[in-house]
Amino acid sequence: MDKNTTTGFILIAIVLIAFSYFNRPSAEEQRAAFVRDSIAQVERMNQEKKQQAEAAAKEALAKQQAENDTTALFHAAMKGTAQNVVLKNEKVELTLNSQGAVVKKAVIKGFKDRNDKPDVTLFDEGDQTLNFMLAAKESNIATQDLVFEASNVSDTTVTFTATAGDGKTITMNYLLGRDYMLHLQMQAEGMAGIFSPNTQSMDVNWQGMCPQQEKGFMFENRYCTLTYKEKDSSTDYLNETSEKRDVPVEEALDWVAFKDQFFSSIMIAKNDFAENSLMTSVPQEKGSGYLKYFEAKMKTFFDPTGKTPSEFEFYYGPNDFRKLQAVETESTFGKDLQMKKLVYLGWPVVRWINRFFTIYVFDFLTGLGLNMGIVLILITLLLKAITYPLVKKSYMSSAKMRVLKPKLDEATKQFDKPEDQMQKQQAMMQEYAKYGVSPLSGCMPMLIQMPIWVAMFNFVPNAIQLRGEKFLWINDLSTYDPIVEWKNNIWGIGDHLSLTCILFCVANILYSYMTMRQQKDQMVGQQAEQMKMMQWMMYLMPLMFFFMFNDYSSGLNFYYFVSLFFSAAIMFLLRKTTNDEKLLAKLEAKYEENKKNPQKKLGGLAGRLQAMQEEQQRLQKQREELANKRKNLGK
């Protein structure tokens, strides 16, 4: 860019700034605009409330007219008195209300709630509604408006019947299984004539508020999602952080779940939910007692003749991988439900580690009745034992580079100028190749551990076995362990300081210091200077982790702390047991062996580095020859 162009840009910037300054509105104009915007916003809100009130009034008037119309379908059912029926087994207690004949309250036994009460209330009356809507010729039928009569009542069964007169009925038969599965068979009788001949479906509207079950609102909210299973495909979910309203799902669905971190309500359709269902997820404010508002608008099979019932199954229970896997076998629909995917185990490679290693080890250790903190320590030790041979091999490669540093300094001392860096790298590669050393192997410990770290990052927050478990100073391994709490949120930190997060970050700094010092011992020339910037980055990373993990579960932070502790211990042990003089002597012997047998090719990465170096030299020589030819032709 020349001087005139630069001057031009500066003048344009000055003109734009001056124009903006002299044309900005006055303080009075700004206040007037603010008042206008505020009035307009209030008017819009009032208009929306007015429209909602009018819609509610119309709905109430229509319902009142239907109740007063003695000729209307289900006239008597609209005036009945609602009553509760309780179905229960050793796992759940479900309260069904004859108003709408659906589950109004679900209590999961054997899991304490966040107030230390013996059972968890998944949802209470008013938290969830389920409405089946049938479009008849003359009027629409909504099951939520009907009061059903209960019969065949026992601890695990109930039959709800709504009568329209003249032999016309809607029947809902419920059967509670031995665990968490509730089966529903919905059937019409004598009603074929009131529907169009081509009617084969009904609308299903399921709404629910997801209550906060755990101590940490922000952390639990990350795992609270509206999840669904596409037919002949996998699961998907709505974004858990943003508001989504009436999002269309093009594929047919096997089931829809209102999922919390550790518990879920799932609705399964035998004949699928049709294409283009509409899904809604709206995050709620902290302190409201709720995490999300969910809504699913769907269509499914309905036979007006009553020959084939509409069948559904409901799961009200924990997000436990093994339990979900077992409950799937109780389904009578013959579908591959894949409900266990509600326990998110990570991306494919990470998921395989969790699916075929972590879960089996975790099941074995928890089966011994050990404390969950001890289980996390033992899993860490087992993983360290498995990866130790590779870590040791990687460390020895770094140690070889460390003892060869004086020779590298000597071999590259003539390449100190910036333009000689290529030659310097080539000389280093040649020196490494002579001794059969791989300079890339030092990165292997992190590469080895990274998939395991990510696997545990996905596994621990979803492990319901950690919920409510105490260890040392930690009251609950599934949530944060505060040493200090305050009322108002501080940006980036929240309303507490987690001790395990602090321990994890301090351990990370110490481990980074050890690894940086080890790498610095093997750096040559300007590489050592470049390491200073890398050191600052490595020391800043634990600070970033603090802001990320302060709200995470203490179990996850504790695992990372223990993992880093053992990693540092292994590195310290290897450093103390490695004799640099003996190692250098072995490398010298290897070098002499290679000198005596010049025809022998190096294997592994060292051989590839040597071949790469020879190829670079050949290409460099060709470029120089080509440049000389062009120079001679120019003369």
Side-chain angles (χ1 to χ4, degrees):
M1 185 180 294
D2 57 25
K3 182 178 180 181
N4 292 334
T5 304
T6 303
T7 303
F9 276 121
I10 294 173
L11 291 174
I12 291 172
I14 293 172
V15 170
L16 289 175
I17 293 172
F19 179 81
S20 300
Y21 178 79
F22 289 110
N23 285 275
R24 65 179 181 175
S26 64
E28 291 77 8
E29 291 174 332
Q30 291 178 359
R31 284 195 294 271
F34 175 77
V35 171
R36 288 196 303 271
D37 292 342
S38 299
I39 293 173
Q41 184 176 2
V42 171
E43 289 177 349
R44 284 196 300 271
M45 293 175 62
N46 290 336
Q47 183 64 24
E48 290 178 358
K49 290 181 179 179
K50 182 179 179 181
Q51 291 175 352
Q52 292 174 358
E54 290 177 352
K58 289 181 180 178
E59 183 178 350
L61 179 60
K63 184 177 180 181
Q64 185 65 38
Q65 289 175 344
E67 291 178 355
N68 295 333
D69 184 3
T70 58
T71 63
L73 281 171
F74 298 101
H75 167 72
M78 292 182 182
K79 287 189 171 183
T81 301
Q83 61 176 324
N84 288 332
V85 175
V86 177
L87 303 183
K88 58 185 178 180
N89 57 25
E90 294 181 355
K91 303 293 185 180
V92 293
E93 182 175 302
L94 306 177
T95 302
L96 293 83
N97 191 275
S98 60
Q99 176 79 48
V102 292
V103 179
K104 294 292 185 180
K105 180 179 180 180
V107 175
I108 303 174
K109 301 178 182 180
F111 296 91
K112 291 183 178 181
D113 68 5
R114 62 189 175 117
N115 297 318
D116 213 30
K117 293 181 180 179
D119 300 318
V120 168
T121 300
L122 184 59
F123 59 89
D124 209 335
E125 292 193 29
D127 290 342
Q128 278 198 20
T129 62
L130 177 60
N131 187 23
F132 299 97
M133 293 167 285
L134 310 172
K137 293 177 181 178
E138 299 180 358
S139 62
N140 294 330
I141 303 169
T143 57
Q144 69 178 6
D145 296 334
L146 307 181
V147 178
F148 291 71
E149 294 181 5
S151 61
N152 189 31
V153 178
S154 70
D155 282 347
T156 57
T157 63
V158 63
T159 299
F160 287 111
T161 305
T163 304
D166 299 328
K168 298 181 179 66
T169 61
I170 294 177
T171 302
M172 294 191 181
N173 286 301
Y174 284 97
L175 172 63
L176 179 61
R178 65 179 182 273
D179 289 322
Y180 303 97
M181 194 76 85
L182 177 68
H183 188 92
L184 167 62
Q185 189 178 77
M186 179 179 176
Q187 194 166 14
E189 184 176 346
M191 298 179 61
I194 68 173
F195 292 97
S196 299
N198 58 350
T199 298
Q200 293 184 339
S201 67
M202 63 178 170
D203 291 296
V204 180
N205 184 265
W206 187 24
Q207 303 178 38
M209 298 290 291
C210 185
Q212 180 182 345
Q213 303 287 1
E214 314 304 326
K215 180 179 180 180
F217 175 87
M218 298 300 294
F219 188 65
E220 184 184 4
N221 209 19
R222 292 187 182 100
Y223 296 90
C224 182
T225 60
L226 191 156
T227 306
Y228 49 87
K229 162 69 168 56
E230 296 177 353
K231 184 180 180 181
D232 302 324
S233 186
S234 187
T235 59
D236 203 349
Y237 62 93
L238 297 187
N239 185 286
E240 69 276 12
T241 59
S242 60
E243 180 177 318
K244 301 291 183 182
R245 292 187 180 272
D246 290 338
V247 177
V249 181
E250 296 180 355
E251 302 296 326
L253 304 177
D254 286 327
W255 52 259
V256 177
F258 293 174
K259 174 186 175 295
D260 195 0
Q261 182 181 1
F262 292 123
F263 305 97
S264 289
S265 302
I266 309 173
M267 184 177 185
I268 310 163
K270 180 177 182 179
N271 297 100
D272 313 328
F273 295 114
E275 297 88 348
N276 298 312
S277 297
L278 299 178
M279 303 297 173
T280 295
S281 174
V282 181
Q284 304 299 296
E285 294 293 330
K286 184 177 181 180
S288 66
Y290 295 95
L291 303 170
K292 300 280 193 340
Y293 164 75
F294 294 136
E295 183 175 7
K297 300 176 183 177
M298 305 165 287
K299 288 182 179 292
T300 191
F301 168 80
F302 172 70
D303 180 10
T305 67
K307 294 180 180 179
T308 306
S310 300
E311 295 189 65
F312 305 91
E313 288 174 335
F314 299 87
Y315 175 86
Y316 303 108
N319 298 331
D320 183 301
F321 188 90
R322 293 302 187 197
K323 284 184 171 63
L324 288 167
Q325 199 175 36
V327 167
E328 283 188 25
T329 62
E330 294 182 24
S331 174
T332 59
F333 295 166
K335 291 186 173 185
D336 181 18
L337 296 175
Q338 300 183 35
M339 288 166 56
K340 55 184 176 290
K341 286 193 174 181
L342 286 170
V343 181
Y344 183 68
L345 299 178
W347 292 349
V349 174
V350 172
R351 183 167 63 245
W352 297 334
I353 294 174
N354 283 327
R355 175 68 180 83
F356 299 107
F357 173 79
T358 310
I359 289 178
Y360 282 97
V361 174
F362 198 78
D363 288 346
F364 173 75
L365 294 175
T366 53
L368 298 177
L370 300 175
N371 181 276
M372 290 297 108
I374 301 297
V375 169
L376 290 174
I377 293 174
L378 292 177
I379 288 178
T380 307
L381 286 172
L382 180 59
L383 291 171
K384 295 300 178 185
I386 292 173
T387 58
Y388 177 76
L390 294 175
V391 171
K392 182 179 179 181
K393 184 177 180 180
S394 175
Y395 174 83
M396 294 308 297
S397 178
S398 298
K400 291 175 184 178
M401 294 169 66
R402 182 179 68 246
V403 299
L404 287 175
K405 185 176 182 296
K407 296 183 179 296
L408 290 173
D409 290 335
E410 181 66 24
T412 60
K413 64 181 180 179
Q414 68 270 31
F415 304 116
D416 287 337
K417 298 179 181 179
E419 61 269 20
D420 295 336
Q421 290 306 303
M422 177 64 74
Q423 292 91 327
K424 185 174 185 176
Q425 290 294 328
Q426 292 174 350
M428 290 173 59
M429 291 299 110
Q430 285 180 340
E431 201 69 18
Y432 284 136
K434 288 179 183 178
Y435 292 92
V437 175
S438 168
L440 299 181
S441 297
C443 303
M444 287 302 292
M446 184 58 69
L447 296 178
I448 293 168
Q449 296 181 70
M450 187 58 67
I452 297 173
W453 274 51
V454 176
M456 296 302 288
F457 177 82
N458 287 286
F459 176 79
V460 173
N462 289 292
I464 194 172
Q465 293 84 350
L466 298 179
R467 186 178 182 273
E469 288 292 317
K470 298 181 179 181
F471 182 67
L472 299 177
W473 69 90
I474 304 171
N475 289 323
D476 187 349
L477 284 165
S478 70
T479 187
Y480 59 83
D481 57 320
I483 53 172
V484 180
E485 290 185 278
W486 51 87
K487 291 183 179 180
N488 298 323
N489 280 351
I490 298 177
W491 182 86
I493 298 178
D495 58 2
H496 65 274
L497 289 178
S498 173
L499 179 56
T500 51
C501 179
I502 294 172
L503 291 174
F504 161 47
C505 293
V506 171
N508 204 351
I509 292 174
L510 295 176
Y511 182 71
S512 298
Y513 172 76
M514 294 180 65
T515 55
M516 288 294 101
R517 191 175 70 171
Q518 177 180 318
Q519 292 179 12
K520 187 177 180 180
D521 291 342
Q522 64 195 40
M523 294 299 174
V524 178
Q526 291 187 353
Q527 288 182 335
E529 295 297 323
Q530 296 172 355
M531 277 299 297
K532 292 181 180 179
M533 181 61 70
M534 178 66 75
Q535 284 178 346
W536 282 109
M537 293 177 62
M538 293 298 291
Y539 293 148
L540 285 174
M541 190 174 295
L543 181 61
M544 295 171 57
F545 282 156
F546 171 76
F547 290 109
M548 291 173 57
F549 285 83
N550 187 48
D551 206 41
Y552 272 60
S553 70
S554 55
L556 182 63
N557 282 316
F558 180 73
Y559 165 77
Y560 283 153
F561 165 70
V562 173
S563 179
L564 285 169
F565 174 82
F566 284 120
S567 294
I570 290 171
M571 186 179 294
F572 178 80
L573 179 65
L574 289 172
R575 183 70 179 88
K576 288 297 182 181
T577 56
T578 301
N579 189 312
D580 287 359
E581 293 181 358
K582 290 183 179 180
L583 182 60
L584 182 59
K586 289 182 180 180
L587 293 173
E588 292 287 4
K590 183 72 174 178
Y591 175 53
E592 293 298 327
E593 181 183 346
N594 291 336
K595 284 176 62 178
K596 293 178 181 178
N597 188 10
Q599 303 300 322
K600 181 181 177 181
K601 293 185 177 181
L602 294 175
L605 183 58
R608 290 193 291 273
L609 288 172
Q610 186 181 41
M612 189 185 305
Q613 178 66 33
E614 293 173 353
E615 179 65 17
Q616 288 179 348
Q617 291 176 346
R618 186 183 66 81
L619 293 174
Q620 180 65 24
K621 186 176 180 181
Q622 286 182 352
R623 285 194 291 268
E624 291 175 356
E625 291 176 353
L626 182 60
N628 290 332
K629 288 181 180 180
R630 290 176 177 174
K631 186 176 180 181
N632 293 332
L633 289 175
K635 293 180 179 179

